[in-house]
Amino acid sequence: MPIITLTTDFGEKDHFAGAVKGAIYTELPEIKIVDISHSVSPFNIPEAAYIIQNAYSSFPKGTIHIIGIDSEMNIENKHIAMKLDDHYFICANNGIMSMICAEIAPEKIVEINIHDRIETSFPALDVFVKVACHIARGGTLEVIGKVIDSIKPIKNLMPYVNDEENQIVGSVIYIDNYGNVISNIKKAFFEKIQKGRAFEISARNYTFKKIYTKYSDVVNFDLPLEKRNDEGKSLVVFNSSNYLEIAVYKSNSQTSGSASTLMGLDLMDAISVNFINE
């Protein structure tokens, strides 16, 4: 029996996440359900895309991922199921899968068409659960939908490069639990445009001329502990997902501050990289 994961913006207060789990267990009592996150900012598609992209591949092949973000169906927001990288994804066709699909081509996409058999005002509960359980039992995608060949993209997902290729303009797509600010600039893309040149990274009034390998690289371990003053230092790294990230060493948004709070950076704010031609 495969695993079913849940990624939603339901939060922890309301009944929604629990109801979805209950409906799955009612159909498949032996299934394993894993919560990836229920704390996605409401209707934040780029944030959800970042989370699912960086979580799904840690699960076994054949895992089924329900993504309950902006899932109310309308004429511009249909429901899809997708097989990609030997995983299954069930979500709205609102661009949420375009970040993964930019790097890995889907094996199959269907537009779900079982709605005439289900009365619903809660698609993640009524439609997505039915589809997930169908797949978990070994059912094929064609039974629950018609095959389509493309999905809706997320606007402004990819960073912009000017014609001279001496500047990348990206944006903040995610702020993590530590208040670190993650851009949409990936390491491979950065290095492709950089071509070994020096650079200056700018975000609001802050500039950086170095990218560290890990957060603790800002610490001078040659100094005695009592003479160090490293907590609160700002830095740039390529994070574990290889996205350019602005961070504060040992940050805490609730106390000492973080990259987001101290620098005033929020979702969709610009982060630019200027390359220096010698």
Side-chain angles (χ1 to χ4, degrees):
M1 188 68 71
I3 296 168
I4 295 178
T5 77
L6 301 176
T7 303
T8 78
D9 58 2
F10 297 159
E12 303 297 336
K13 178 181 179 180
D14 300 315
H15 65 280
F16 304 121
V20 170
K21 292 179 190 178
I24 295 170
Y25 283 129
T26 297
E27 292 209 29
L28 299 171
E30 303 303 316
I31 199 77
K32 293 180 180 178
I33 302 174
V34 177
D35 299 300
I36 292 179
S37 177
H38 295 297
S39 299
V40 177
S41 301
F43 304 102
N44 193 313
I45 292 168
E47 186 176 285
Y50 177 83
I51 291 171
I52 195 69
Q53 181 189 42
N54 292 297
Y56 90 88
S57 59
S58 294
F59 288 88
K61 300 291 187 182
T63 296
I64 302 159
H65 305 278
I66 292 176
I67 309 172
I69 313 288
D70 187 28
S71 56
E72 183 176 81
M73 193 178 78
N74 57 53
I75 194 169
E76 296 180 349
N77 202 38
K78 301 294 181 66
H79 295 153
I80 58 173
M82 176 187 302
K83 186 178 182 184
L84 179 148
D85 197 19
D86 289 326
H87 289 249
Y88 293 91
F89 302 86
I90 304 162
C91 59
N93 189 9
N94 53 19
I96 214 158
M97 289 300 298
S98 60
M99 186 178 288
I100 303 176
C101 292
E103 299 185 352
I104 303 173
E107 298 163 53
K108 185 168 290 184
I109 314 167
V110 300
E111 187 175 281
I112 297 169
N113 60 10
I114 63 172
H115 302 84
D116 58 340
R117 288 169 262 164
I118 300 171
E119 185 175 337
T120 182
S121 61
F122 186 0
L125 174 66
D126 302 314
V127 177
F128 293 0
V129 166
K130 293 291 184 188
V131 172
C133 292
H134 166 77
I135 296 169
R137 294 188 186 100
T140 63
L141 295 183
E142 291 89 343
V143 171
I144 51 86
K146 62 177 183 179
V147 175
I148 58 175
D149 57 12
S150 62
I151 60 170
K152 187 183 295 185
I154 301 178
K155 293 180 180 179
N156 303 319
L157 176 64
M158 298 299 294
Y160 165 81
V161 180
N162 66 357
D163 292 339
E164 294 79 17
E165 292 197 348
N166 59 14
Q167 185 183 58
I168 299 172
V169 179
S171 58
V172 177
I173 58 169
Y174 189 71
I175 298 172
D176 70 13
N177 190 53
Y178 301 95
N180 297 326
V181 174
I182 293 97
S183 77
N184 59 349
I185 303 170
K186 294 206 77 172
K187 183 178 182 181
F189 182 81
F190 178 96
E191 292 177 344
K192 177 184 176 182
I193 305 301
Q194 178 191 17
K195 297 177 178 145
R197 292 176 289 180
F199 57 85
E200 185 174 271
I201 298 167
S202 300
R204 289 197 179 271
N205 298 322
Y206 296 84
T207 58
F208 305 88
K209 297 182 179 180
K210 182 176 182 178
I211 299 174
Y212 289 95
T213 303
K214 56 184 186 293
Y215 304 101
S216 61
D217 284 346
V218 298
V219 179
N220 184 354
F221 289 103
D222 293 330
L223 291 175
L225 184 61
E226 64 274 10
K227 292 188 177 181
R228 296 178 198 165
N229 187 25
D230 303 304
E231 292 186 18
K233 283 186 177 178
S234 56
L235 67 147
V236 174
V237 296
F238 284 113
N239 65 17
S240 59
S241 303
N242 284 321
Y243 283 86
L244 187 75
E245 174 182 311
I246 300 175
V248 167
Y249 184 59
K250 291 195 173 180
S251 62
N252 185 327
S253 298
Q254 305 303 315
T255 56
S256 57
S258 66
S260 175
T261 58
L262 295 174
M263 301 180 195
L265 292 170
D266 208 343
L267 294 169
M268 302 313 296
D269 282 351
I271 294 177
S272 61
V273 184
N274 291 287
F275 296 106
I276 300 165
N277 296 315
E278 296 182 357

